[in-house]
């Protein structure tokens, strides 16, 4: 039985308002959750409710969403006995009544859903990574460290958003975290030596004044070697999230001032994959370009992982349709894109059954909440991205994974399947 649901307005890692939701159960269990928030969002994501009142936080306040938790959700959920998280998640969606959670706000719903999951796990006396629904056997995911930021996450001229280093060849979480941190420090040294700024972007990666993706890839491969690791699947692989919806225009993709067609972009990726140890590309093309996505999948889908983010939005129905269309071979999984924990796991299950990979992900705006670390372990998806191995809100998740490994040394590490 739920005793009460309460929210307050707190700040996220970009200094913008978000929600902290607290759920209390009749047995005395209390648990809370912090709600993440994206910057390069897909147009079909569940709606993040913001006040739009320019006199507070430039319009980005979330007092309406907070009011919806403390008012309607608290009234509807309190004092009743629920049989499962799924039942509560469904009830919240029904109460919202819109297809995209626009009325009560996906931020209100996901905070409540995460806090309730945590409360129910605590009440059952189980860690979240064991209590959450499993899909394949629980395992420790490969951490994909976003060491260099561009796009919507940094004010530099780089159009590609994320350059990630992924310790595919590590044999434990501990060693993977160490590898990520050592490469990050080696990259810092190279940037300093090259006269570049070492200021950070929104996800904790460096944000130097570089514009060509290939130049960044050269620097990263050199840094992997500097740190003493082999690059590639036996050591450290590279994953990209160009977030191409952001530089798509009606005339083509605009990369460092040059307009490229979908076919040009695919050819460029094919060359990059040949030249560099890239094993995964997310949002290589824009959500505006489904035909390009089909071509991209047909061209590179056998060689590397192709992850849908902006075009999938962690939405079970959208992902089901995309699978039928032969788009991508993996999905990015962000809890606030869909707005409940139950639907998030459902999206992951659909991917798993279709042989699609699943990469659990943070948002560029984060709190120290570590829910996604447990989610990645519980579902056994084998991959997580949660920023650089730096900045409190990013390392909170990585440190949680190290703690889980210490508590459960029998868990295997690495990509699923
Ligand atoms: P966002 O970026 O959280 O700003 O949407 C993350 C991503 O595009 O994967
Ligand atoms: Zn993305």
């Amino acid at each position: 039985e739920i005793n009460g649901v309460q929210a307050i307005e707190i700040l996220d890692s970009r200094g913008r308002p978000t929600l902290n939701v607290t759920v209390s159960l009749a047995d005395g269990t209390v648990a809370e959750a912090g709600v993440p928030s994206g910057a390069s969002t897909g147009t079909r994501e569940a709606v993040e409710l913001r006040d739009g009142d320019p006199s507070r936080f430039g319009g980005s306040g979330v007092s309406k969403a907070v009011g919806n938790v403390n008012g309607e959700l608290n009234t509807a959920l309190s004092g009743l006995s629920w049989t499962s998280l799924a039942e509560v998640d469904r009830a919240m969606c029904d109460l919202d009544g819109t297809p995209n959670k626009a009325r009560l706000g996906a931020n209100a719903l996901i905070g409540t859903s995460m806090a309730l999951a945590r409360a129910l796990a605590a009440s059952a006396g189980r860690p979240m990574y064991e209590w959450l629904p499993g899909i394949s056997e629980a395992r420790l995911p490969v951490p994909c460290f976003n060491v260099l930021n561009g796009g919507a996450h940094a004010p530099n001229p780089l159009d590609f958003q994320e350059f990630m280093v992924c310790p595919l060849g590590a044999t434990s979480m501990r060693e993977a975290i160490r590898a990520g941190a050592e490469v990050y420090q080696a990259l810092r040294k190279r940037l300093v030596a090259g006269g570049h700024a070492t200021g950070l972007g929104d996800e904790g990666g460096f944000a130097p004044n570089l514009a060509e993706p290939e130049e960044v890839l050269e620097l990263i491969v050199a840094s992997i070697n500097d740190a003493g690791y082999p690059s590639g699947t036996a050591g450290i692989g590279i994953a990209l999230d160009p977030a191409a919806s952001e530089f798509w225009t009606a005339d083509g993709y605009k990369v460092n001032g040059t307009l490229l067609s979908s076919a040009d972009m695919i050819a460029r990726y094919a060359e990059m994959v040949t030249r560099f140890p890239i094993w995964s590309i997310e949002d290589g093309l824009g959500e505006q370009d489904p035909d390009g996505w089909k071509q991209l999948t047909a061209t590179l889908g056998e060689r590397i992982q192709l992850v849908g983010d902006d075009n999938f939005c962690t939405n079970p129905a959208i992902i089901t349709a995309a699978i039928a269309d032969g788009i991508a071979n993996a999905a990015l999984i962000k809890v606030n894109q869909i707005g409940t924990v139950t639907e998030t796991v459902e999206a992951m299950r659909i991917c798993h059954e279709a042989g699609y990979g699943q990469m659990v992900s943070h948002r560029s705006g984060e709190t120290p909440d570590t829910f996604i670390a447990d989610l990645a372990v519980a579902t056994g998806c084998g991959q997580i991205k949660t920023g650089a191995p730096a900045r409190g809100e990013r390392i909170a998740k990585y440190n949680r994974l190290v703690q889980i490994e210490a508590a459960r040394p029998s868990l295997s590490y690495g990509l699923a399947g």
Side-chain angles (χ1 to χ4, degrees):
E1 182 178 320
I2 296 174
N3 242 5
V5 188
Q6 295 295 320
I8 56 170
E9 189 177 57
I10 61 167
L11 293 181
D12 73 11
S13 55
R14 268 193 286 253
R16 299 178 77 227
T18 189
L19 289 88
N20 192 81
V21 180
T22 304
V23 168
S24 36
L25 303 181
D27 67 7
T29 311
V30 178
E32 56 185 316
V35 175
S37 170
S40 65
T41 49
T43 53
R44 289 186 290 174
E45 292 192 17
V47 175
E48 180 178 77
L49 188 62
R50 296 214 178 255
D51 299 341
D53 166 6
S55 70
R56 293 185 73 248
F57 297 107
S60 70
V62 292
S63 62
K64 285 181 189 165
V66 165
N68 291 341
V69 173
N70 295 340
E72 279 196 55
L73 285 171
N74 183 46
T75 303
L77 303 181
S78 300
L80 296 177
S81 279
W82 302 89
T83 57
S84 65
L85 175 66
E87 193 189 8
V88 176
D89 282 347
R90 205 173 314 116
M92 290 198 293
C93 292
D94 291 348
L95 183 66
D96 173 79
T98 69
N100 56 0
K101 303 178 175 71
R103 195 176 73 82
L104 296 174
N107 42 357
L109 265 59
I110 192 61
T112 305
S113 185
M114 288 160 72
L116 179 60
R118 198 168 262 143
L120 292 172
S123 174
R126 316 228 347 246
M128 275 242 297
Y129 60 85
E130 284 179 4
W131 181 86
L132 282 168
I135 296 175
S136 42
E137 202 184 336
R139 66 193 293 113
L140 294 158
V142 171
C144 299
F145 299 101
N146 181 9
V147 294
L148 205 135
N149 297 181
H153 296 165
N156 59 6
L158 191 62
D159 297 301
F160 281 25
Q161 180 176 282
E162 303 174 20
F163 294 78
M164 292 170 271
V165 295
C166 318
L168 301 170
T171 54
S172 68
M173 183 56 61
R174 221 163 48 249
E175 285 304 312
I177 300 291
R178 175 183 159 198
E182 288 176 354
V183 172
Y184 184 73
Q185 298 304 340
L187 176 59
R188 186 177 198 286
K189 270 194 198 141
R190 277 206 172 250
L191 290 170
V192 170
H196 292 291
T198 53
L200 305 182
D202 287 355
E203 298 191 346
F206 301 110
N209 198 26
L210 295 167
E212 285 292 349
E214 288 82 357
E215 197 181 345
V216 173
L217 287 165
E218 278 171 19
L219 257 174
I220 291 176
V221 171
S223 304
I224 292 171
N225 294 332
D226 288 350
Y229 294 93
S231 60
T233 44
I236 299 184
I238 296 176
L240 297 178
D241 179 8
S245 307
E246 297 285 319
F247 54 86
W248 177 91
T249 75
D251 301 320
Y253 292 90
K254 203 165 181 201
V255 180
N256 195 15
T258 306
L259 278 174
L260 301 171
S261 67
S262 307
D264 294 338
M265 286 296 291
I266 294 168
R268 184 135 174 206
Y269 290 134
E271 201 187 306
M272 281 187 197
V273 166
T274 303
R275 250 180 90 192
F276 301 102
I278 295 169
W279 69 282
S280 178
I281 300 179
E282 173 189 334
D283 283 357
L285 296 176
E287 63 165 308
Q288 310 87 343
D289 185 12
D291 291 336
W293 258 105
K294 281 180 209 165
Q295 199 52 49
L296 173 67
T297 309
T299 309
L300 285 177
E302 298 290 318
R303 286 173 72 186
I304 60 166
Q305 173 171 276
L306 296 168
V307 186
D309 171 14
D310 285 354
N311 53 345
F312 284 10
C313 296
T314 317
N315 183 309
I318 294 175
I319 293 173
T320 300
I323 290 170
D325 278 348
I327 287 178
N329 56 28
L332 202 72
I333 301 295
K334 293 164 162 169
V335 290
N336 79 321
Q337 271 184 330
I338 187 68
T340 65
V341 173
T342 302
E343 290 164 286
T344 303
V345 174
E346 188 192 336
M348 295 179 78
R349 186 167 289 119
I350 288 166
C351 289
H352 177 72
E353 280 165 9
Y356 272 45
Q358 309 118 58
M359 184 187 283
V360 166
S361 171
H362 64 161
R363 299 307 302 250
S364 51
E366 270 292 340
T367 74
D369 190 285
T370 58
F371 186 91
I372 59 170
D374 288 69
L375 177 67
V377 172
T379 54
C381 68
Q383 0 179 358
I384 188 170
K385 70 165 194 180
T386 181
R391 290 182 55 145
E393 76 282 5
R394 312 297 151 185
I395 60 164
K397 282 77 162 167
Y398 294 127
N399 289 342
R400 170 72 183 155
L401 290 168
V402 170
Q403 288 172 334
I404 293 174
E405 180 176 61
R408 290 285 182 281
S410 58
L411 288 173
S412 346
Y413 164 86
L415 295 180

